[in-house]
Amino acid sequence: EPEVTQTPSHQVTQMGQEVILRCVPISNHLYFYWYRQILGQKVEFLVSFYNNEISEKSEIFDDQFSVERPDGSNFTLKIRSTKLEDSAMYFCASMQEQSSYEQYFGPGTRLTVT
Amino acid sequence: AQRVTQPEKLLSVFKGAPVELKCNYSYSGSPELFWYVQYSRQRLQLLLRHISRESIKGFTADLNKGETSFHLKKPFAQEEDSAMYYCALREPGGGFKTIFGAGTRLFVKA
């Protein structure tokens, strides 16, 4: 069964550094998402992406964040200048189509900002 | 603002006992409600959604619009049900983002 994959599984970076988290959604899916979960807190929506553009973003997704689908298979989340509070588990998800009910989640990337 | 509340962080029951994981939501329109499960060291996966009204792994959940609740129930808990359970609401339209509750850890004791 196809799965969403994410790399790396764990990323450690220093405060102020740029980081790129990578995701490969399921191949025939059209909607893509990033969520994050700070340790001990709930899973929070960051951004949704459809037809090569952001369709919705949360208040968390400020100018330090950006997303890209550079080559038709990868879906990346970039944080330009990481802060300590960006430390979290970041989940990518994809959904096949508008009428589909299931978002398929990746295993997550644990980002640690020191 | 839309919101999903799971009042219990941890629920511990004995094997064979009934289980009810509570979920309440606030949303002005007609949302789609889901339960997601995360077993130890596995990814988040969909357990069930309110539209399908199905039973998955013995779990059921009924949407009560009057009480704005979507509680998850199972009559006889099994040890393999031990996991983190998240109630979630999805807004129809737009980017179809999903809003999660804080989650309830279910621990089924032998």
Side-chain angles (χ1 to χ4, degrees):
Chain A
E1 189 175 331
E3 290 184 329
V4 176
T5 59
Q6 289 185 244
T7 54
S9 56
H10 190 192
Q11 173 88 47
V12 181
T13 190
Q14 288 192 324
M15 195 168 56
Q17 296 295 305
E18 175 183 286
V19 67
I20 296 176
L21 309 183
R22 301 180 195 279
C23 168
V24 179
I26 295 172
S27 63
N28 62 343
H29 285 193
L30 301 177
Y31 292 81
F32 312 109
Y33 305 83
W34 283 101
Y35 295 84
R36 80 169 187 191
Q37 186 176 31
I38 295 171
L39 188 63
Q41 298 186 24
K42 62 174 67 177
V43 177
E44 301 174 288
F45 167 78
L46 291 179
V47 65
S48 58
F49 191 86
Y50 170 72
N51 201 25
N52 283 318
E53 60 182 25
I54 290 173
S55 45
E56 192 169 0
K57 59 184 181 180
S58 71
E59 295 168 353
I60 303 166
F61 195 88
D62 61 22
D63 292 344
Q64 293 300 310
F65 291 86
S66 62
V67 288
E68 207 176 34
R69 190 156 158 78
D71 56 14
S73 61
N74 290 283
F75 179 51
T76 62
L77 174 69
K78 182 193 291 186
I79 309 174
R80 288 192 185 83
S81 178
T82 50
K83 304 188 277 280
L84 293 175
E85 53 265 36
D86 293 328
S87 294
M89 196 76 165
Y90 288 80
F91 295 102
C92 173
S94 68
M95 185 171 77
Q96 187 173 19
E97 56 187 7
Q98 185 175 332
S99 60
S100 172
Y101 59 86
E102 185 165 2
Q103 291 182 6
Y104 291 80
F105 283 80
T109 292
R110 180 168 298 287
L111 176 65
T112 302
V113 182
T114 60
Chain B
Q2 58 275 35
R3 202 172 165 147
V4 179
T5 303
Q6 293 180 252
E8 302 137 331
K9 282 192 172 179
L10 173 66
L11 187 61
S12 183
V13 301
F14 282 103
K15 177 181 167 181
V19 169
E20 183 178 46
L21 288 83
K22 292 187 172 21
C23 172
N24 288 89
Y25 68 92
S26 62
Y27 185 69
S28 56
S30 297
E32 297 174 24
L33 275 297
F34 302 84
W35 277 97
Y36 281 84
V37 60
Q38 189 172 30
Y39 300 102
S40 177
R41 285 186 284 278
Q42 294 187 28
R43 64 188 67 200
L44 265 170
Q45 56 187 280
L46 180 68
L47 181 62
L48 52 80
R49 60 175 186 146
H50 86 273
I51 290 177
S52 57
R53 301 182 65 82
E54 57 199 341
S55 173
I56 303 291
K57 299 184 179 181
F59 285 97
T60 58
D62 290 320
L63 178 61
N64 185 323
K65 290 186 179 180
E67 295 182 358
T68 59
S69 68
F70 188 55
H71 304 326
L72 183 69
K73 298 177 185 178
K74 184 169 182 176
F76 308 104
Q78 303 299 313
E79 288 179 77
E80 55 265 30
D81 296 328
S82 296
M84 197 74 180
Y85 290 81
Y86 295 95
C87 183
L89 174 159
R90 193 171 77 185
E91 299 179 344
F96 301 96
K97 72 180 185 189
T98 299
I99 298 161
F100 288 86
T104 297
R105 181 167 296 284
L106 175 64
F107 181 55
V108 182
K109 298 176 282 191

